[in-house]
Each structure stands twice: as C-alpha cells, then as structure tokens.
mmCIF file of all heavy atoms in Angstrom:
data_model
loop_
_atom_site.group_PDB
_atom_site.id
_atom_site.type_symbol
_atom_site.label_atom_id
_atom_site.label_comp_id
_atom_site.label_asym_id
_atom_site.label_seq_id
_atom_site.Cartn_x
_atom_site.Cartn_y
_atom_site.Cartn_z
ATOM 1 N N SER Y 126 3.393 28.513 -6.903
ATOM 2 C CA SER Y 126 4.685 29.309 -6.914
ATOM 3 C C SER Y 126 5.841 28.244 -6.727
ATOM 4 O O SER Y 126 5.697 27.225 -6.204
ATOM 5 C CB SER Y 126 4.723 30.371 -5.745
ATOM 6 O OG SER Y 126 4.789 29.826 -4.640
ATOM 7 N N ALA Y 127 7.027 28.812 -7.253
ATOM 8 C CA ALA Y 127 8.263 28.047 -7.089
ATOM 9 C C ALA Y 127 9.389 28.879 -7.047
ATOM 10 O O ALA Y 127 9.385 29.919 -7.780
ATOM 11 C CB ALA Y 127 8.529 27.036 -8.192
ATOM 12 N N ASN Y 128 10.397 28.802 -6.102
ATOM 13 C CA ASN Y 128 11.485 29.728 -5.987
ATOM 14 C C ASN Y 128 12.681 29.152 -6.785
ATOM 15 O O ASN Y 128 12.989 28.028 -6.815
ATOM 16 C CB ASN Y 128 11.862 29.908 -4.518
ATOM 17 C CG ASN Y 128 10.911 30.613 -3.732
ATOM 18 O OD1 ASN Y 128 10.359 31.561 -4.134
ATOM 19 N ND2 ASN Y 128 10.426 29.965 -2.579
ATOM 20 N N TYR Y 129 13.505 30.105 -7.314
ATOM 21 C CA TYR Y 129 14.766 29.725 -7.930
ATOM 22 C C TYR Y 129 15.676 29.310 -6.877
ATOM 23 O O TYR Y 129 15.953 30.009 -5.721
ATOM 24 C CB TYR Y 129 15.330 30.973 -8.611
ATOM 25 C CG TYR Y 129 16.519 30.778 -9.523
ATOM 26 C CD1 TYR Y 129 16.250 30.089 -10.693
ATOM 27 C CD2 TYR Y 129 17.749 31.116 -9.139
ATOM 28 C CE1 TYR Y 129 17.280 29.874 -11.564
ATOM 29 C CE2 TYR Y 129 18.849 30.874 -10.065
ATOM 30 C CZ TYR Y 129 18.600 30.323 -11.295
ATOM 31 O OH TYR Y 129 19.556 30.040 -12.142
ATOM 32 N N VAL Y 130 16.450 28.240 -7.058
ATOM 33 C CA VAL Y 130 17.288 27.659 -5.994
ATOM 34 C C VAL Y 130 18.704 27.509 -6.219
ATOM 35 O O VAL Y 130 19.475 27.231 -5.384
ATOM 36 C CB VAL Y 130 16.643 26.375 -5.441
ATOM 37 C CG1 VAL Y 130 15.316 26.463 -4.860
ATOM 38 C CG2 VAL Y 130 16.564 25.350 -6.585
ATOM 39 N N VAL Y 131 19.034 27.651 -7.617
ATOM 40 C CA VAL Y 131 20.492 27.295 -7.909
ATOM 41 C C VAL Y 131 21.184 28.644 -8.249
ATOM 42 O O VAL Y 131 20.984 29.158 -9.300
ATOM 43 C CB VAL Y 131 20.490 26.352 -9.126
ATOM 44 C CG1 VAL Y 131 21.977 26.048 -9.608
ATOM 45 C CG2 VAL Y 131 19.820 25.050 -8.795
ATOM 46 N N GLY Y 132 22.033 28.992 -7.302
ATOM 47 C CA GLY Y 132 23.019 30.123 -7.634
ATOM 48 C C GLY Y 132 22.300 31.461 -8.082
ATOM 49 O O GLY Y 132 21.250 31.788 -7.609
ATOM 50 N N SER Y 133 22.916 32.035 -9.136
ATOM 51 C CA SER Y 133 22.274 33.208 -9.628
ATOM 52 C C SER Y 133 22.437 33.165 -11.258
ATOM 53 O O SER Y 133 23.258 32.585 -11.733
ATOM 54 C CB SER Y 133 23.053 34.478 -9.226
ATOM 55 O OG SER Y 133 22.505 35.595 -9.785
ATOM 56 N N ALA Y 134 21.509 33.856 -11.899
ATOM 57 C CA ALA Y 134 21.514 33.916 -13.410
ATOM 58 C C ALA Y 134 21.020 35.210 -13.844
ATOM 59 O O ALA Y 134 20.054 35.802 -13.225
ATOM 60 C CB ALA Y 134 20.775 32.872 -13.953
ATOM 61 N N THR Y 135 21.658 35.750 -14.889
ATOM 62 C CA THR Y 135 21.245 37.070 -15.444
ATOM 63 C C THR Y 135 20.865 36.810 -16.925
ATOM 64 O O THR Y 135 21.591 36.285 -17.645
ATOM 65 C CB THR Y 135 22.340 38.036 -15.403
ATOM 66 O OG1 THR Y 135 22.808 38.315 -14.110
ATOM 67 C CG2 THR Y 135 21.963 39.419 -15.956
ATOM 68 N N PHE Y 136 19.566 37.309 -17.270
ATOM 69 C CA PHE Y 136 19.025 36.983 -18.577
ATOM 70 C C PHE Y 136 18.957 38.221 -19.416
ATOM 71 O O PHE Y 136 18.439 39.187 -18.948
ATOM 72 C CB PHE Y 136 17.644 36.323 -18.531
ATOM 73 C CG PHE Y 136 17.613 35.140 -17.596
ATOM 74 C CD1 PHE Y 136 16.629 34.875 -16.762
ATOM 75 C CD2 PHE Y 136 18.680 34.187 -17.618
ATOM 76 C CE1 PHE Y 136 16.581 33.686 -16.038
ATOM 77 C CE2 PHE Y 136 18.628 32.962 -16.980
ATOM 78 C CZ PHE Y 136 17.535 32.813 -16.126
ATOM 79 N N GLU Y 137 19.332 38.223 -20.686
ATOM 80 C CA GLU Y 137 19.154 39.244 -21.584
ATOM 81 C C GLU Y 137 17.827 39.007 -22.421
ATOM 82 O O GLU Y 137 17.279 40.063 -22.778
ATOM 83 C CB GLU Y 137 20.324 39.311 -22.511
ATOM 84 C CG GLU Y 137 21.588 39.955 -21.847
ATOM 85 C CD GLU Y 137 22.593 40.252 -22.909
ATOM 86 O OE1 GLU Y 137 22.638 39.717 -24.042
ATOM 87 O OE2 GLU Y 137 23.383 41.183 -22.721
ATOM 88 N N SER Y 138 17.462 37.740 -22.664
ATOM 89 C CA SER Y 138 16.328 37.402 -23.472
ATOM 90 C C SER Y 138 15.640 36.215 -22.742
ATOM 91 O O SER Y 138 16.361 35.492 -22.087
ATOM 92 C CB SER Y 138 16.658 37.055 -24.834
ATOM 93 O OG SER Y 138 17.440 38.085 -25.513
ATOM 94 N N MET Y 139 14.298 36.185 -22.927
ATOM 95 C CA MET Y 139 13.681 34.992 -22.324
ATOM 96 C C MET Y 139 12.451 34.580 -23.087
ATOM 97 O O MET Y 139 11.944 35.403 -23.857
ATOM 98 C CB MET Y 139 13.243 35.319 -20.845
ATOM 99 C CG MET Y 139 12.173 36.367 -20.782
ATOM 100 S SD MET Y 139 11.584 36.473 -18.962
ATOM 101 C CE MET Y 139 13.059 37.258 -18.222
ATOM 102 N N THR Y 140 12.007 33.393 -22.908
ATOM 103 C CA THR Y 140 10.825 32.868 -23.425
ATOM 104 C C THR Y 140 9.948 32.250 -22.400
ATOM 105 O O THR Y 140 10.513 31.409 -21.568
ATOM 106 C CB THR Y 140 11.151 31.913 -24.542
ATOM 107 O OG1 THR Y 140 11.811 32.401 -25.666
ATOM 108 C CG2 THR Y 140 9.741 31.247 -25.183
ATOM 109 N N LEU Y 141 8.703 32.572 -22.286
ATOM 110 C CA LEU Y 141 7.798 32.003 -21.451
ATOM 111 C C LEU Y 141 6.791 31.155 -22.261
ATOM 112 O O LEU Y 141 6.273 31.700 -23.283
ATOM 113 C CB LEU Y 141 6.938 32.987 -20.580
ATOM 114 C CG LEU Y 141 7.715 34.121 -19.964
ATOM 115 C CD1 LEU Y 141 6.715 35.109 -19.319
ATOM 116 C CD2 LEU Y 141 8.640 33.530 -18.820
ATOM 117 N N ILE Y 142 6.597 29.846 -21.904
ATOM 118 C CA ILE Y 142 5.663 28.939 -22.678
ATOM 119 C C ILE Y 142 4.842 28.249 -21.536
ATOM 120 O O ILE Y 142 5.339 27.769 -20.589
ATOM 121 C CB ILE Y 142 6.399 27.890 -23.500
ATOM 122 C CG1 ILE Y 142 7.410 28.525 -24.433
ATOM 123 C CG2 ILE Y 142 5.397 27.092 -24.285
ATOM 124 C CD1 ILE Y 142 8.225 27.632 -25.210
ATOM 125 N N SER Y 143 3.406 28.215 -21.763
ATOM 126 C CA SER Y 143 2.550 27.566 -20.946
ATOM 127 C C SER Y 143 1.452 26.925 -21.718
ATOM 128 O O SER Y 143 0.909 27.548 -22.705
ATOM 129 C CB SER Y 143 1.910 28.572 -19.880
ATOM 130 O OG SER Y 143 1.057 27.905 -19.062
ATOM 131 N N TRP Y 144 1.083 25.687 -21.554
ATOM 132 C CA TRP Y 144 0.026 25.104 -22.037
ATOM 133 C C TRP Y 144 -1.293 25.297 -21.084
ATOM 134 O O TRP Y 144 -1.119 24.892 -19.928
ATOM 135 C CB TRP Y 144 0.238 23.646 -22.241
ATOM 136 C CG TRP Y 144 1.125 23.175 -23.397
ATOM 137 C CD1 TRP Y 144 0.729 22.705 -24.690
ATOM 138 C CD2 TRP Y 144 2.581 23.383 -23.438
ATOM 139 N NE1 TRP Y 144 1.828 22.564 -25.429
ATOM 140 C CE2 TRP Y 144 3.077 22.967 -24.843
ATOM 141 C CE3 TRP Y 144 3.498 23.877 -22.617
ATOM 142 C CZ2 TRP Y 144 4.293 22.947 -25.195
ATOM 143 C CZ3 TRP Y 144 4.837 23.816 -22.933
ATOM 144 C CH2 TRP Y 144 5.193 23.373 -24.247
ATOM 145 N N VAL Y 145 -2.281 25.973 -21.677
ATOM 146 C CA VAL Y 145 -3.301 26.428 -20.665
ATOM 147 C C VAL Y 145 -4.671 26.199 -21.287
ATOM 148 O O VAL Y 145 -4.863 26.199 -22.428
ATOM 149 C CB VAL Y 145 -3.135 27.899 -20.408
ATOM 150 C CG1 VAL Y 145 -3.156 28.780 -21.722
ATOM 151 C CG2 VAL Y 145 -4.177 28.479 -19.514
ATOM 152 N N THR Y 146 -5.576 25.828 -20.303
ATOM 153 C CA THR Y 146 -6.983 25.550 -20.798
ATOM 154 C C THR Y 146 -7.767 26.546 -20.071
ATOM 155 O O THR Y 146 -7.825 26.659 -18.735
ATOM 156 C CB THR Y 146 -7.400 24.209 -20.427
ATOM 157 O OG1 THR Y 146 -6.610 23.263 -20.988
ATOM 158 C CG2 THR Y 146 -8.794 23.949 -20.790
ATOM 159 N N LEU Y 147 -8.620 27.380 -20.672
ATOM 160 C CA LEU Y 147 -9.479 28.335 -20.135
ATOM 161 C C LEU Y 147 -10.873 27.786 -19.825
ATOM 162 O O LEU Y 147 -11.415 27.199 -20.740
ATOM 163 C CB LEU Y 147 -9.565 29.582 -21.134
ATOM 164 C CG LEU Y 147 -10.447 30.725 -20.521
ATOM 165 C CD1 LEU Y 147 -9.733 31.302 -19.311
ATOM 166 C CD2 LEU Y 147 -10.671 31.748 -21.695
ATOM 167 N N LEU Y 148 -11.313 27.926 -18.596
ATOM 168 C CA LEU Y 148 -12.560 27.279 -18.218
ATOM 169 C C LEU Y 148 -13.721 28.217 -18.195
ATOM 170 O O LEU Y 148 -14.857 27.875 -18.116
ATOM 171 C CB LEU Y 148 -12.359 26.518 -16.811
ATOM 172 C CG LEU Y 148 -11.397 25.508 -16.797
ATOM 173 C CD1 LEU Y 148 -11.273 24.956 -15.385
ATOM 174 C CD2 LEU Y 148 -11.501 24.483 -17.801
ATOM 175 N N ASP Y 149 -13.483 29.565 -18.050
ATOM 176 C CA ASP Y 149 -14.566 30.522 -17.876
ATOM 177 C C ASP Y 149 -14.046 31.920 -18.581
ATOM 178 O O ASP Y 149 -12.949 32.368 -18.278
ATOM 179 C CB ASP Y 149 -14.713 30.717 -16.372
ATOM 180 C CG ASP Y 149 -15.858 31.712 -16.107
ATOM 181 O OD1 ASP Y 149 -16.412 32.379 -16.991
ATOM 182 O OD2 ASP Y 149 -16.155 31.844 -14.927
ATOM 183 N N TYR Y 150 -14.851 32.457 -19.323
ATOM 184 C CA TYR Y 150 -14.514 33.757 -20.063
ATOM 185 C C TYR Y 150 -14.467 34.855 -18.998
ATOM 186 O O TYR Y 150 -14.002 35.993 -19.357
ATOM 187 C CB TYR Y 150 -15.473 34.087 -21.174
ATOM 188 C CG TYR Y 150 -15.278 33.302 -22.374
ATOM 189 C CD1 TYR Y 150 -16.312 32.706 -23.134
ATOM 190 C CD2 TYR Y 150 -13.916 33.241 -23.015
ATOM 191 C CE1 TYR Y 150 -16.119 31.898 -24.251
ATOM 192 C CE2 TYR Y 150 -13.769 32.549 -24.089
ATOM 193 C CZ TYR Y 150 -14.889 31.836 -24.793
ATOM 194 O OH TYR Y 150 -14.616 31.198 -25.937
ATOM 195 N N GLY Y 151 -14.967 34.654 -17.833
ATOM 196 C CA GLY Y 151 -14.945 35.725 -16.773
ATOM 197 C C GLY Y 151 -13.543 35.769 -16.155
ATOM 198 O O GLY Y 151 -13.343 36.839 -15.359
ATOM 199 N N ALA Y 152 -12.611 34.938 -16.555
ATOM 200 C CA ALA Y 152 -11.310 35.027 -15.914
ATOM 201 C C ALA Y 152 -10.704 36.349 -16.241
ATOM 202 O O ALA Y 152 -10.792 36.867 -17.368
ATOM 203 C CB ALA Y 152 -10.327 33.933 -16.584
ATOM 204 N N ARG Y 153 -10.110 36.958 -15.187
ATOM 205 C CA ARG Y 153 -9.478 38.367 -15.387
ATOM 206 C C ARG Y 153 -8.190 38.577 -14.722
ATOM 207 O O ARG Y 153 -8.024 38.102 -13.511
ATOM 208 C CB ARG Y 153 -10.487 39.490 -14.778
ATOM 209 C CG ARG Y 153 -11.845 39.583 -15.535
ATOM 210 C CD ARG Y 153 -11.619 40.076 -17.080
ATOM 211 N NE ARG Y 153 -10.825 41.261 -17.228
ATOM 212 C CZ ARG Y 153 -11.423 42.436 -17.363
ATOM 213 N NH1 ARG Y 153 -12.641 42.552 -17.316
ATOM 214 N NH2 ARG Y 153 -10.629 43.493 -17.667
ATOM 215 N N ALA Y 154 -7.171 38.873 -15.473
ATOM 216 C CA ALA Y 154 -5.960 39.427 -14.932
ATOM 217 C C ALA Y 154 -5.140 38.221 -14.167
ATOM 218 O O ALA Y 154 -4.157 38.570 -13.409
ATOM 219 C CB ALA Y 154 -6.148 40.583 -13.832
ATOM 220 N N GLY Y 155 -5.409 37.036 -14.613
ATOM 221 C CA GLY Y 155 -4.586 35.927 -13.997
ATOM 222 C C GLY Y 155 -3.567 35.600 -15.069
ATOM 223 O O GLY Y 155 -3.602 35.879 -16.237
ATOM 224 N N SER Y 156 -2.484 34.890 -14.582
ATOM 225 C CA SER Y 156 -1.222 34.674 -15.387
ATOM 226 C C SER Y 156 -1.199 33.141 -15.612
ATOM 227 O O SER Y 156 -1.275 32.326 -14.696
ATOM 228 C CB SER Y 156 -0.046 35.147 -14.662
ATOM 229 O OG SER Y 156 1.122 34.844 -15.430
ATOM 230 N N ALA Y 157 -0.928 32.849 -16.867
ATOM 231 C CA ALA Y 157 -0.563 31.458 -17.196
ATOM 232 C C ALA Y 157 0.875 31.036 -16.863
ATOM 233 O O ALA Y 157 1.182 29.899 -16.752
ATOM 234 C CB ALA Y 157 -0.807 31.147 -18.649
ATOM 235 N N LEU Y 158 1.703 32.054 -16.632
ATOM 236 C CA LEU Y 158 3.104 31.942 -16.268
ATOM 237 C C LEU Y 158 3.763 33.288 -16.083
ATOM 238 O O LEU Y 158 3.639 34.091 -16.976
ATOM 239 C CB LEU Y 158 3.920 31.114 -17.443
ATOM 240 C CG LEU Y 158 5.523 30.996 -17.085
ATOM 241 C CD1 LEU Y 158 5.684 30.274 -15.618
ATOM 242 C CD2 LEU Y 158 6.040 30.243 -18.213
ATOM 243 N N THR Y 159 4.346 33.406 -14.929
ATOM 244 C CA THR Y 159 5.116 34.647 -14.527
ATOM 245 C C THR Y 159 6.453 34.368 -14.049
ATOM 246 O O THR Y 159 6.554 33.437 -13.158
ATOM 247 C CB THR Y 159 4.312 35.512 -13.447
ATOM 248 O OG1 THR Y 159 3.079 35.999 -14.023
ATOM 249 C CG2 THR Y 159 5.058 36.718 -13.059
ATOM 250 N N LEU Y 160 7.434 35.075 -14.533
ATOM 251 C CA LEU Y 160 8.731 35.099 -13.910
ATOM 252 C C LEU Y 160 8.979 36.360 -13.233
ATOM 253 O O LEU Y 160 8.909 37.548 -13.800
ATOM 254 C CB LEU Y 160 9.901 34.936 -14.925
ATOM 255 C CG LEU Y 160 11.357 35.010 -14.269
ATOM 256 C CD1 LEU Y 160 11.518 33.902 -13.308
ATOM 257 C CD2 LEU Y 160 12.387 35.000 -15.354
ATOM 258 N N ASP Y 161 9.034 36.320 -11.836
ATOM 259 C CA ASP Y 161 9.103 37.529 -10.982
ATOM 260 C C ASP Y 161 10.447 37.457 -10.232
ATOM 261 O O ASP Y 161 11.092 36.451 -10.083
ATOM 262 C CB ASP Y 161 7.982 37.423 -9.916
ATOM 263 C CG ASP Y 161 7.681 38.860 -9.340
ATOM 264 O OD1 ASP Y 161 8.302 39.816 -9.617
ATOM 265 O OD2 ASP Y 161 6.697 38.812 -8.663
ATOM 266 N N THR Y 162 10.943 38.702 -9.942
ATOM 267 C CA THR Y 162 12.098 38.756 -8.981
ATOM 268 C C THR Y 162 11.740 39.464 -7.728
ATOM 269 O O THR Y 162 11.196 40.759 -7.822
ATOM 270 C CB THR Y 162 13.331 39.475 -9.723
ATOM 271 O OG1 THR Y 162 12.875 40.732 -10.282
ATOM 272 C CG2 THR Y 162 13.771 38.655 -10.868
ATOM 273 N N VAL Y 163 11.931 38.968 -6.694
ATOM 274 C CA VAL Y 163 11.386 39.401 -5.422
ATOM 275 C C VAL Y 163 12.000 40.741 -5.027
ATOM 276 O O VAL Y 163 11.212 41.652 -4.504
ATOM 277 C CB VAL Y 163 11.480 38.352 -4.186
ATOM 278 C CG1 VAL Y 163 11.153 38.887 -2.876
ATOM 279 C CG2 VAL Y 163 10.844 37.133 -4.591
ATOM 280 N N SER Y 164 13.391 40.954 -5.015
ATOM 281 C CA SER Y 164 14.018 42.091 -4.411
ATOM 282 C C SER Y 164 13.738 43.289 -5.177
ATOM 283 O O SER Y 164 13.608 44.399 -4.628
ATOM 284 C CB SER Y 164 15.480 41.887 -4.330
ATOM 285 O OG SER Y 164 16.015 41.640 -5.618
ATOM 286 N N THR Y 165 13.524 43.268 -6.438
ATOM 287 C CA THR Y 165 13.218 44.347 -7.283
ATOM 288 C C THR Y 165 11.788 44.464 -7.769
ATOM 289 O O THR Y 165 11.387 45.375 -8.482
ATOM 290 C CB THR Y 165 14.154 44.509 -8.506
ATOM 291 O OG1 THR Y 165 14.004 43.216 -9.336
ATOM 292 C CG2 THR Y 165 15.668 44.499 -8.120
ATOM 293 N N ASP Y 166 11.001 43.448 -7.516
ATOM 294 C CA ASP Y 166 9.614 43.351 -7.974
ATOM 295 C C ASP Y 166 9.525 43.585 -9.475
ATOM 296 O O ASP Y 166 8.746 44.456 -9.930
ATOM 297 C CB ASP Y 166 8.699 44.466 -7.230
ATOM 298 C CG ASP Y 166 7.250 44.129 -7.416
ATOM 299 O OD1 ASP Y 166 6.907 42.961 -7.626
ATOM 300 O OD2 ASP Y 166 6.380 45.123 -7.536
ATOM 301 N N LYS Y 167 10.357 42.976 -10.262
ATOM 302 C CA LYS Y 167 10.361 43.027 -11.675
ATOM 303 C C LYS Y 167 9.865 41.673 -12.270
ATOM 304 O O LYS Y 167 10.237 40.546 -11.804
ATOM 305 C CB LYS Y 167 11.780 43.236 -12.163
ATOM 306 C CG LYS Y 167 12.005 43.344 -13.571
ATOM 307 C CD LYS Y 167 13.538 43.360 -13.979
ATOM 308 C CE LYS Y 167 14.234 44.442 -13.076
ATOM 309 N NZ LYS Y 167 15.720 44.349 -13.413
ATOM 310 N N PHE Y 168 8.909 41.707 -13.170
ATOM 311 C CA PHE Y 168 8.402 40.467 -13.683
ATOM 312 C C PHE Y 168 7.883 40.612 -15.179
ATOM 313 O O PHE Y 168 7.575 41.703 -15.617
ATOM 314 C CB PHE Y 168 7.182 40.030 -12.850
ATOM 315 C CG PHE Y 168 5.919 40.977 -12.988
ATOM 316 C CD1 PHE Y 168 4.759 40.477 -13.784
ATOM 317 C CD2 PHE Y 168 5.807 42.080 -12.313
ATOM 318 C CE1 PHE Y 168 3.793 41.266 -13.942
ATOM 319 C CE2 PHE Y 168 4.598 42.883 -12.308
ATOM 320 C CZ PHE Y 168 3.610 42.552 -13.208
#
C-alpha cells in the first residue's frame, strides 16, 4: 500500500495500468492495482 501525500486532487476520469504476472489460476478476488479513498471507502 501507499498513501497519497501531496495536498488534494479531484479526478473526473482516471486510468489504472499494471504490469502483472499470474502464478496460479486459483487466484481469487485480488487486485493488480486499486485506487481507494479512506474517508468515503470509494475505490
């Protein structure tokens, strides 16, 4: 995890990009990349 540290920002549009290697087809419900907001639990 990593926390946002510089001021504040409001986004209308966003892109998430992750380079990912899957090691097991049994993987379930994990995220290659998530942007979450703590106070409103929006992600």
Side-chain angles (χ1 to χ4, degrees):
S126 66
N128 292 311
Y129 193 75
V130 295
V131 178
S133 178
T135 303
F136 304 141
E137 288 190 334
S138 302
M139 71 174 67
T140 298
L141 307 176
I142 304 176
S143 181
W144 283 256
V145 58
T146 301
L147 184 67
L148 303 179
D149 183 354
Y150 283 131
R153 293 300 302 266
S156 176
L158 174 58
T159 295
L160 175 64
D161 202 350
T162 53
V163 176
S164 61
T165 59
D166 193 33
K167 184 188 304 179
F168 71 97

